[in-house]
């Protein structure tokens, strides 16, 4: 039997709200760290220094080739065997960031590769040093291209954080599981949690749309001047992220 | 070299050499694209580089600002050896950051304009002075406004490139290169990507530049421009300079068979 009372009790429960807040900041932190690490990996894979390239390729092979759940459990329950003991939340941040970096490095690489060769040449011809070429000309353009796949990843991360419930981090799912153990209204509790996730991903979609429209102001073409090619490129890149 | 180091005054005109190319060779793999090129460009001179596609004219232009490196030879712009340094063991390549500094002496305009799409026209023109020379935003923007007026676009400063026509974009690109006050301007087929009705406005900009005394090398097939504004035509084929003459002599009395054949194919 479905109980609306129980459902609304869960929906307004402070414990679920707190869990949702944990989910949000865990998502933001792991995405930020993952992006920084991903940028470093992308640079490593683009250099002429072979050991760096090998490391970058090895890292991505390893982290994309194994389940993130297995990685999290290794960090949480495996590493103490080697004397490395970390709190659940640190295990979650480290595990999720390291894993996400492998995916985001591909997003970054795709973004950088999407910047036309002529842009590098124009910047170099003006006398910009390699660092300036990257910082002033390439990365701002790459970032615009990276927003859709990055947004896609953040949306995914909001939900992937539920995995850390198994290493006892009290995010939204774990809090819900605790809550339903009191009166065994499992269905109501989990549907309430699902609604929270739906709300979070919906809000993110709105935020992402705002960011895109701000960054796209330089590309909003008059109808007859193309711009369609840009859209095509972005949708192609979205496929890179997962 | 010591004679060159003393810069003659501008009014000596033809005697001052802005760009000097000595015995330059370059290959892409097994294909030799530049064969023993020798060339001198004088101050205020407008030189048209002509030749069939694959003749090496664009590559030669790009070696002048070291967008392409050379296998042997020397390129000097305003008495500075480009892209190389003299060591006890001969010439060695310079570091990229040092080459970046040298490139300020040259301005380049590309066939595809290559404006920065995330910047307005004004920001494009001010980009060099701000990010390369470290000028203040205010100073660079004021100078950029003047340059945009000079290329006939005084009211387009706040437009993004996508909101400009091809001809307008190319004129912004010219202003962007001029903002670094180069000693020589390099034009790589500046009108080839333009619709016919826009070619004129860009060529007029080049003619104005010539009037102001700018030294220019232009890779182009625009005969009318060549006749009206070029001081010299250099005809290249298969990586070699085949013929060098005044535009009138070259177009009306080409001396080599290869030039005749090439001109016969032009419309």
């Amino acid at each position: 039997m479905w109980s609306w009372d129980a459902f609304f009790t869960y929906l307004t429960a402070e414990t679920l709200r707190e869990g949702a807040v944990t989910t949000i900041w865990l998502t933001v932190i792991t995405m930020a760290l993952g992006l920084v690490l991903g940028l470093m990996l992308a640079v490593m894979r683009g250099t002429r220094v072979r050991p760096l390239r090998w490391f970058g390729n090895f890292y991505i092979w390893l982290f994309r080739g194994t389940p993130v759940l297995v990685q999290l459990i290794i960090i949480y329950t495996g590493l103490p065997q080697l004397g490395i003991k970390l709190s659940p939340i640190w295990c979650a941040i480290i595990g999720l960031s390291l894993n996400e970096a492998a995916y985001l490095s591909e997003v970054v690489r795709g973004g950088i590769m999407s910047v036309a060769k002529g842009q590098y040449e124009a910047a170099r011809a003006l006398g910009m040093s390699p660092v300036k070429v990257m910082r002033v000309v390439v990365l701002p353009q790459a970032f615009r291209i990276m927003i859709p796949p990055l947004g896609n990843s953040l949306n995914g991360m909001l939900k992937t954080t539920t995995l850390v419930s198994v290493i006892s981090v009290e995010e939204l799912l774990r809090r819900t599981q605790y809550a339903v153990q009191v009166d065994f209204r499992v269905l109501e509790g989990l549907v309430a949690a699902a609604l929270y996730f739906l709300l979070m991903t919906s809000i993110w979609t709105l935020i992402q749309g705002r960011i895109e429209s701000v960054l796209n102001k330089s590309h909003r073409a008059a109808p007859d001047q193309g711009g369609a090619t840009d859209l095509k490129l972005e949708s192609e890149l979205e496929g890179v992220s997962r | 070299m010591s004679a060159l180091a003393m810069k003659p005054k501008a009014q000596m005109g033809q005697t001052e050499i802005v760009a000097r190319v000595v015995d330059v060779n370059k290959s892409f793999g097994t294909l030799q694209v530049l064969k023993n090129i020798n060339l001198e460009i004088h101050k205020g001179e407008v030189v048209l580089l002509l030749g069939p596609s694959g003749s090496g004219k664009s590559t030669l232009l790009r070696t002048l600002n070291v967008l392409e490196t050379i296998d042997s030879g020397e390129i000097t712009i305003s008495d500075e050896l480009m892209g190389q340094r003299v060591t006890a063991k001969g010439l060695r390549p310079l570091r990229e950051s040092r080459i970046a500094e040298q490139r300020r002496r040259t301005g380049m305009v590309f066939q595809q304009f290559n404006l920065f799409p995330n910047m307005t026209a004004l920001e494009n023109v001010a980009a060099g002075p701000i990010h390369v020379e470290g000028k203040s935003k205010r100073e660079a923007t004021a100078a950029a406004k003047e340059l945009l007026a000079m290329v006939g676009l005084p009211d387009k400063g706040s437009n993004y490139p996508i909101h400009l026509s091809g001809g307008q974009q190319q004129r912004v690109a010219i202003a962007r290169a001029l903002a670094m006050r180069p000693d020589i301007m390099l034009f790589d087929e500046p009108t080839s990507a333009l619709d016919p009705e826009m070619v004129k406005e860009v060529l007029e900009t080049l003619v104005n530049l010539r009037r102001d005394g700018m030294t220019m090398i232009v890779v182009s097939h625009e005969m009318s421009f060549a006749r009206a504004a070029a001081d010299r035509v250099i005809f290249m084929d298969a990586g070699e300079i085949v013929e060098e003459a005044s535009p009138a002599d070259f177009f009306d009395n080409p001396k080599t068979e290869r030039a005749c054949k090439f001109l016969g194919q032009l419309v």
Side-chain angles (χ1 to χ4, degrees), chain B residues 97-169:
Chain B
S97 57
R98 183 76 193 89
I99 295 173
E101 282 170 32
Q102 293 187 325
R103 288 199 181 105
R104 299 187 200 180
R105 293 162 185 276
T106 64
M108 186 168 236
V109 175
F110 300 87
Q111 182 178 352
Q112 301 293 340
F113 331 134
N114 295 346
L115 289 181
F116 306 132
N118 53 329
M119 302 182 195
T120 63
L122 201 63
E123 287 166 347
N124 264 282
V125 180
I130 290 173
H131 296 292
V132 177
E133 294 181 304
K135 287 206 171 138
S136 74
K137 211 167 191 171
R138 225 183 59 190
E139 190 185 350
T141 305
K145 274 183 184 155
E146 277 178 37
L147 283 165
L148 279 181
M150 206 183 98
V151 296
L153 299 168
D155 52 351
K156 297 288 182 194
S158 57
N159 285 36
Y160 284 97
I162 197 157
H163 295 138
L164 297 169
S165 71
Q168 290 170 335
Q169 286 192 52

Side-chain angles (χ1 to χ4, degrees), chain A residues 119 121 124 132 220 225, chain B residues 62 103 115 131 162-163:
Chain A
Q119 292 290 307
E121 291 196 338
R124 289 166 74 203
K132 281 267 165 69
R220 205 167 297 131
Q225 282 175 319
Chain B
R62 292 159 57 84
R103 288 199 181 105
L115 289 181
H131 296 292
I162 197 157
H163 295 138

Side-chain angles (χ1 to χ4, degrees), chain B residues 32-46:
Chain B
Q32 192 170 0
V33 284
L34 294 179
K35 293 175 190 160
N36 207 37
I37 301 289
N38 285 281
L39 188 61
E40 280 178 355
I41 311 284
H42 299 268
K43 190 174 171 63
E45 199 180 12
V46 176

Side-chain angles (χ1 to χ4, degrees), chain A residues 162-230:
Chain A
T162 52
L163 290 177
V164 303
S165 63
V166 304
I167 60 169
S168 75
V169 173
E170 293 191 15
E171 44 63 70
L172 181 53
L173 179 60
R174 184 88 174 178
R175 280 295 180 90
T176 310
Q177 286 171 328
Y178 282 149
V180 297
Q181 275 165 23
V182 179
D183 49 7
F184 297 102
R185 288 284 176 188
V186 178
L187 182 61
E188 289 86 344
L190 287 174
V191 170
L195 269 185
Y196 268 100
F197 279 109
L198 209 49
L199 183 69
M200 290 190 285
T201 51
S202 303
I203 290 173
W204 169 245
T205 304
L206 292 177
I207 294 174
Q208 188 189 335
R210 286 293 305 156
I211 297 174
E212 277 175 36
S213 86
V214 168
L215 283 177
N216 280 347
K217 67 175 190 285
S218 58
H219 283 73
R220 205 167 297 131
D224 61 335
Q225 282 175 319
T229 48
D230 279 333

